[in-house]
Amino acid sequence: MENNFDKILESLLMDFEKNPNQDIDNFIQSLKTKYSLNPQDMHFLSETLGYLDGFEKEAASLSKVPQTISYRKDWLLERLDSIMEGRSEEEKAQIVTAVSERESEVLSSLNNDN
Amino acid sequence: MKYTEYNDLYGRNEFGREFTAYLNVVTGIQSLAQGDYVSEEAASSNVKSKLIQQFLDSPMDDGNGLKLKKLYAAAMTIAQSKSAGNLNVNNAAQTAVIIDDALTRFKVSYLKENGTLNIDDAIEYLVDRTTARAVFLIDKVIDKGVPVVLTAIGNAVAAVCPPAAPVGRIIQSSARFVTPAVKQAVHRGVSFIAEKSKSILSSVASSFVSIGQSVRSKVKNWF
C-alpha cells in the first residue's frame, strides 16, 4: 500500500526532474515554503545533508587508496590518527576503548533483536 | 576491550583489525536483514524516475548519488514533519546513515545483477561505504582541542549500524520508481548479497580477536 513518504518522494523527484540541471541545494531550500517546514525541520534537514556530504567525502578518500590486502584498515587508522591528532596516548586509548566497548554492546543488542 | 596503550607497538594495529572486523560484520548483518525485508517485490508506481535510473547507471561515487540522497533527506524530513511514513528516525545522523546505506545497497544490488559488479566487489563496496560513514561519524564527535565525550563516541559507533526496517523501506520505495526489469534485478541482487553474506560472516566472526567469546559465539550462532 502506498504511504505518504512514497507520495512525498514521488512529488520531489518529479519536481526536480522538471529541471534536472538545477542546483540541488537551492531546490531543497525552496521546499521550506512549499511544505511549510519550521526552523526545527530545516535544522534537522541541514544536519542530515551535512552528514551525507561528509560520508561522500570520506568515501571518495577511501576510493582513491590502492586496494592492497589491508587498504581499508590502513586508511581507517590513518584517518583516526588525523582525527585524534594532538591528543595524548592515554586519551587515544580511551577513545578506542570507548569504540571497542560499544561494538560489543551493539553486537549483543543485535542478537537480542533476533 | 580496554586498551591501555595506543601506539605502533601495541594497540593501534590490534584496534584497526578489531574495528575493521566489526564493520565487516555489521555490514553483513544488514545485508542478511535486507534479504528478509526486501523479500517481496515492491509495488510499482506509474511514475518512473529518470534521476533514480541515472543514479543506478552512473559510475560509482560520481556525485549523482549525493544529489539523489539529498532529495531523500528532504522527503524524509517532510514526512517526519507531517508524521507520515512511519520511518521512525530519531536524529540527523541516523537518517543520513539510513539513506546512504539504503541507496548504496539499491545500486550495488542492481549492478551485481546486471553484471557490472561481481559479488565480491559488491560486498567490498558495501563495507567500504560503512567504513567511510563510521569514520565521519566518529570525526563529528571529536573536536580538536576539546575534551572528548566518550558517550558521544559510543553513540557514533552505534549509529554506524542503522535499523534494518527503514533501510528496507527506502529500498522498496526506490524500487517503485524504476521499470519492472530493474526492480526485479534489485530484488535478486539483495537476495544474492544476503546469501553470500551469510557464509562470509561465519568466517569473519572468528577473526574477532578482542571481542569477548560470548559475543563471538553469538555472531556465529546467528547463521
Side-chain angles (χ1 to χ4, degrees), chain B:
Chain B
M1 174 179 167
K2 186 173 170 60
Y3 287 87
T4 53
E5 297 171 62
Y6 190 81
N7 53 57
D8 287 338
L9 290 176
Y10 184 74
R12 186 176 180 270
N13 204 43
E14 288 72 14
F15 173 73
R17 285 208 313 269
E18 175 199 314
F19 197 35
T20 307
Y22 169 77
L23 295 171
N24 261 287
V25 167
V26 295
T27 304
I29 291 170
Q30 183 69 241
S31 297
L32 275 184
Q34 292 313 316
D36 292 335
Y37 275 104
V38 190
S39 59
E40 291 179 15
E41 283 189 25
S44 286
S45 164
N46 290 328
V47 171
K48 301 301 167 217
S49 167
K50 288 180 188 160
L51 192 63
I52 291 180
Q53 192 59 50
Q54 189 179 19
F55 163 64
L56 291 176
D57 293 331
S58 63
M60 306 297 266
D61 301 320
D62 78 333
N64 271 307
L66 184 56
K67 198 187 302 186
L68 187 66
K69 288 168 191 172
K70 288 184 173 184
L71 266 185
Y72 275 64
M76 285 177 77
T77 301
I78 294 165
Q80 191 92 323
S81 75
K82 311 297 177 202
S83 300
N86 296 322
L87 286 159
N88 293 324
V89 288
N90 297 319
N91 56 60
Q94 187 181 72
T95 303
V97 171
I98 287 165
I99 292 168
D100 195 79
D101 197 27
L103 288 178
T104 299
R105 289 175 182 281
F106 185 66
K107 177 164 178 152
V108 164
S109 300
Y110 171 70
L111 293 181
K112 152 66 193 76
E113 279 305 299
N114 79 2
T116 304
L117 283 179
N118 64 42
I119 184 61
D120 294 327
D121 287 343
I123 287 177
E124 289 299 318
Y125 188 81
L126 290 176
V127 181
D128 277 352
R129 202 76 198 185
T130 302
T131 305
R133 290 195 296 266
V135 165
F136 186 73
L137 288 166
I138 291 172
D139 192 9
K140 274 287 279 184
V141 299
I142 296 180
D143 292 324
K144 290 215 186 313
V146 174
V148 174
V149 178
L150 296 179
T151 50
I153 292 174
N155 291 341
V157 173
V160 170
C161 187
V167 173
R169 286 283 301 282
I170 299 291
I171 294 173
Q172 294 286 55
S173 291
S174 306
R176 300 182 68 241
F177 302 110
V178 294
T179 64
V182 171
K183 186 172 66 168
Q184 283 161 19
V186 170
H187 175 74
R188 285 195 306 267
V190 168
S191 298
F192 199 94
I193 290 171
E195 271 310 302
K196 180 71 175 183
S197 293
K198 199 165 178 172
S199 58
I200 290 174
L201 278 167
S202 298
S203 61
V204 170
S206 63
S207 74
F208 268 49
V209 173
S210 303
I211 291 183
Q213 178 62 46
S214 62
V215 176
R216 287 206 299 276
S217 298
K218 281 176 186 173
V219 173
K220 276 197 142 174
N221 290 336
W222 286 335
F223 314 112

Side-chain angles (χ1 to χ4, degrees), chain A residues 1-10 12-14 16-17 20-22 24-25 27-28 31 35-38 41-45 47-56 58-60 62-63 67 71-85 87 89-104 106-108 110-112 114, chain B residues 1-3 5-7 12-13 15-20 22 24-25 29 45 47-52 61 66-79 81-82 84-85 87 91-93 95-97 100 124 127-129 131-133 135-137 139-140 142-146 148 150 153-155 157-158 161 169-170 173 176-177 208 211 215 218 222:
Chain A
M1 188 171 90
E2 200 176 81
N3 64 25
N4 285 334
F5 169 74
D6 287 346
K7 285 183 186 166
I8 293 166
L9 178 61
E10 179 180 318
L12 295 192
L13 286 166
M14 294 305 107
F16 187 81
E17 287 176 22
N21 294 322
Q22 65 182 301
I24 183 66
D25 294 318
F27 174 79
I28 287 175
L31 300 175
Y35 289 94
S36 305
L37 297 177
N38 63 37
D41 295 329
M42 290 309 290
H43 177 70
F44 179 89
L45 178 53
E47 277 208 316
T48 305
L49 297 178
Y51 278 102
L52 290 172
D53 278 328
F55 296 160
E56 207 67 24
E58 296 292 351
L62 179 53
S63 73
Q67 296 208 341
Y71 78 95
R72 195 180 290 127
K73 175 175 72 74
D74 294 340
W75 176 84
L76 175 77
L77 287 174
E78 282 175 20
R79 284 296 294 121
L80 289 176
D81 286 343
S82 175
I83 290 166
M84 297 192 292
E85 190 181 0
R87 296 194 182 268
E89 187 177 328
E90 185 187 356
E91 274 184 297
K92 291 178 185 176
Q94 286 175 344
I95 289 168
V96 299
T97 296
V99 172
S100 179
E101 288 176 350
R102 197 57 187 263
E103 288 172 21
S104 297
V106 168
L107 290 175
S108 294
L110 286 174
N111 187 50
N112 291 337
N114 280 287
Chain B
M1 174 179 167
K2 186 173 170 60
Y3 287 87
E5 297 171 62
Y6 190 81
N7 53 57
R12 186 176 180 270
N13 204 43
F15 173 73
R17 285 208 313 269
E18 175 199 314
F19 197 35
T20 307
Y22 169 77
N24 261 287
V25 167
I29 291 170
S45 164
V47 171
K48 301 301 167 217
S49 167
K50 288 180 188 160
L51 192 63
I52 291 180
D61 301 320
L66 184 56
K67 198 187 302 186
L68 187 66
K69 288 168 191 172
K70 288 184 173 184
L71 266 185
Y72 275 64
M76 285 177 77
T77 301
I78 294 165
S81 75
K82 311 297 177 202
L87 286 159
N91 56 60
T95 303
V97 171
D100 195 79
E124 289 299 318
V127 181
D128 277 352
R129 202 76 198 185
T131 305
R133 290 195 296 266
V135 165
F136 186 73
L137 288 166
D139 192 9
K140 274 287 279 184
I142 296 180
D143 292 324
K144 290 215 186 313
V146 174
V148 174
L150 296 179
I153 292 174
N155 291 341
V157 173
C161 187
R169 286 283 301 282
I170 299 291
S173 291
R176 300 182 68 241
F177 302 110
F208 268 49
I211 291 183
V215 176
K218 281 176 186 173
W222 286 335

